[in-house]
Amino acid sequence: MKKRKIKNLCHVLVLLTALFSCSKKDMSGPDKPGTNPPKEDVFDPQTVGITAKKVVNGGGNISDYLLYIPDGYNTRKDYKWPLVIFLHGIGEIGTNVDILRNVALPRVVKGQPFVMVAPQCTKSWWNGATLQTFYKEVVAKYHVDSNRVILTGLSMGGMATWDWICASPNNFAAAVPISGVGDPKLMGNVKKMPIWAFHSADDPTVSVNGSRLAVQALQAIGGNIKYTEYPTGGHDAWTRAYATPELYTWMLNQHK
């Protein structure tokens, strides 16, 4: 009698084990056991192309910006896009953000596989604290990868690019300062950051030494620096820089 009870108990245990095993397989869904489908993020859809936007956290000298959204942004729910922040020069200071549509990167950005934001400085000069507030807003608002944020700018914006990456290097995966000025004493802050700088040798507005000295300081400490110096072109080194296909390949390869 005891043997029969033990035998029956063994049958029950085997049955329970089989049922538990089947339930685990069912929970794994239609994919291979132990795998899950890509997670789809929930985010606000955006208008594809370039649109004008208002900042939410105002108070500084940025109130508007241009936003570029690439094709596929609204449908690729499991992909976070690289973000490029573009800083204009002194000639675009003001309150009409639409003038940025025909300037440098915004003028040629169509078709690029990244999100771009181009804030407009309303007065004086780029302000570091205001830029930092803007950075936090756009990274939180759009479906972008915070490990793939690239900063670029020209002239006044090129100077601000050098200043901002040196002050907040953890914000960015890479930087592209054009016709700017970097402080050689601060280059240790961005030794590991990939940087591609551009300048014209005959620039009459911002001396080419503004880039040369920063580049030399980075080269001296083994920095991750690329430098393109055009022999001619005056102050406008950005038209050729942003027309360089290799620049976009390089930018899209950068990760923190």
Side-chain angles (χ1 to χ4, degrees), residues 127-134:
N127 178 273
T130 303
L131 285 170
Q132 192 67 8
T133 299
F134 175 74

Side-chain angles (χ1 to χ4, degrees), residues 26 32 44 70 86 138 149 151 187 239 243 255-256:
D26 291 342
K32 294 179 181 179
D44 294 333
F86 168 75
V138 297
V149 181
L151 178 63
M187 291 303 109
T239 298
H255 296 257
K256 277 202 293 186

Side-chain angles (χ1 to χ4, degrees), residues 3-88:
K3 289 182 178 180
R4 185 179 298 171
K5 287 183 177 180
I6 292 173
K7 188 175 182 180
N8 290 340
L9 181 59
C10 289
H11 286 314
V12 171
L13 290 173
V14 170
L15 180 60
L16 289 172
T17 300
L19 288 171
F20 180 71
S21 177
C22 289
S23 67
K24 285 182 70 179
K25 290 180 181 179
D26 291 342
M27 289 173 65
S28 66
D31 298 318
K32 294 179 181 179
T35 64
N36 294 310
K39 180 182 178 182
E40 292 190 352
D41 292 336
V42 177
F43 57 92
D44 294 333
Q46 300 294 331
T47 301
V48 172
I50 294 181
T51 54
K53 297 289 184 178
K54 292 277 187 184
V55 299
V56 176
N57 300 309
N61 62 348
I62 298 173
S63 59
D64 299 86
Y65 62 98
L66 292 184
L67 169 69
Y68 166 73
I69 295 293
D71 292 339
Y73 177 91
N74 296 314
T75 56
R76 296 186 65 180
K77 299 293 183 69
D78 59 345
Y79 177 70
K80 289 191 174 183
W81 297 80
L83 172 66
V84 177
I85 301 175
F86 168 75
L87 304 180
H88 65 75

